[in-house]
Amino acid sequence: MTTALITGSTAGIGAAFARRLAADGHDLVLVARDTKRLRDQATELHDRHGIEAEVLTADLATDEGIEAVADRLGDRRNPVDLLINNAGFGNKGRYLDVSMADELKMVKVHIEAVLRLTSAATAAMRERGRGGVVNVASVAAFVPRGTYGASKAWVVQFTQGAARDLAGSGVRLMALCPGFVRTEFHQRAGMGTDNIPNWMWLDADKLVSVALADLARGKTLSIPDPRYKALMGLVKVTPRGLLGGVTSRTGRKYGPQ
């Protein structure tokens, strides 16, 4: 069996990756901040699928948390074959309405942790000549919408650049860019979702299936739904100045309330 490490594994997209990978027979290293939820998740996946599920409690907004996960990824005796960098969060409010502490925490989790964990994982994977990394970004990466979108844009650019540098090594990297997914994400950020149209919501389990298929095909970018692919196609041909105004109005209409 191969082993997958998933950050932010106890809810949403991370939990969907855990369910799918366990069903496919992968052993897991489950990473999140809540030890009880991690243990409950590990027990459920072990009992249902017969896989081994290791629990690693870590807060990726801290150096200690990042170091603990990086050390596990670098363990050559118990190698990790697939890393899912999924941990992340949103902040309610526009620029300057959000505290600097919260903005810096987002940069820590979305950028520094992704960089350090991807580097720890791929260094070990390159030695073995195989492995994969999925860095969960967002379609927000392609529109000018504050620190969240900027941090996710960094994830996309970093992942695709690293994928090119590691081409031929046996290590695959892919940025996953979902749209709205029914998870705890918005609730934790205190964001209302009643004003988001039904057609914009994606199913986490279907999203994961598409993402893993795209990774297997060697894609470095996955936008796992035709609706969002079409929207992102429009974004590419829209002037940046006009796009900024549209996304600002859209954010007020469909964003945090």
Side-chain angles (χ1 to χ4, degrees):
M1 290 185 180
T2 58
T3 298
L5 185 149
I6 307 166
T7 68
S9 71
T10 55
I13 295 173
F17 268 110
R19 289 192 297 270
R20 170 59 188 271
L21 292 169
D24 287 348
H26 296 271
D27 289 335
L28 301 176
V29 181
L30 304 171
V31 180
R33 294 177 297 172
D34 189 322
T35 302
K36 183 181 184 304
R37 289 186 72 177
L38 282 170
R39 289 174 176 168
D40 290 344
Q41 182 185 32
T43 299
E44 178 185 356
L45 294 173
H46 169 76
D47 292 348
R48 179 173 297 180
H49 301 292
I51 55 92
E52 295 301 318
E54 177 184 341
V55 165
L56 176 53
T57 305
D59 182 354
L60 297 182
T62 68
D63 283 330
E64 295 79 9
I66 296 173
E67 288 167 6
V69 181
D71 287 345
R72 179 62 185 85
L73 289 166
D75 186 347
R76 269 60 171 179
R77 295 169 298 175
N78 299 290
V80 171
D81 306 280
L82 176 63
L83 166 62
I84 310 293
N85 265 321
N86 167 73
F89 64 96
N91 286 323
K92 182 178 180 179
R94 300 186 195 179
Y95 175 60
L96 294 184
D97 293 335
V98 179
S99 72
M100 184 55 63
D102 286 341
E103 295 278 49
L104 291 173
K105 181 179 178 181
M106 179 172 284
V107 170
K108 187 87 169 181
V109 175
H110 290 186
I111 296 179
E112 183 179 341
V114 170
L115 171 62
R116 292 170 63 181
L117 299 188
T118 300
S119 298
T122 54
M125 291 173 181
R126 185 170 61 176
E127 291 175 5
R128 300 192 302 274
R130 67 182 187 280
V133 177
V134 175
N135 289 329
V136 179
S138 168
V139 292
F142 306 108
V143 296
R145 283 294 295 162
T147 304
Y148 182 83
S151 66
K152 293 303 187 179
W154 182 91
V155 171
V156 171
Q157 293 295 319
F158 163 70
T159 303
Q160 291 194 293
R164 285 192 293 270
D165 287 344
L166 291 173
S169 69
V171 181
R172 296 180 176 180
L173 293 92
M174 185 183 79
L176 171 61
C177 295
F180 288 107
V181 184
R182 294 195 185 278
T183 69
E184 297 177 7
F185 177 91
H186 298 90
Q187 180 182 356
R188 287 179 174 177
M191 299 176 183
T193 58
D194 292 342
N195 57 337
I196 300 172
N198 285 332
W199 69 266
M200 297 184 76
W201 289 104
L202 304 179
D203 177 80
D205 292 311
K206 292 179 181 178
L207 181 156
V208 165
S209 293
V210 174
L212 290 173
D214 284 347
L215 180 67
R217 285 193 285 265
K219 289 190 175 184
T220 62
L221 177 67
S222 175
I223 301 174
D225 186 88
R227 293 164 290 181
Y228 280 98
K229 287 179 181 177
L231 285 174
M232 293 307 103
L234 291 174
V235 164
K236 288 181 180 179
V237 299
T238 303
R240 296 294 290 179
L242 176 60
L243 183 63
V246 170
T247 56
S248 180
R249 291 191 297 273
T250 303
R252 289 194 293 272
K253 183 175 181 182
Y254 297 136
Q257 300 299 307

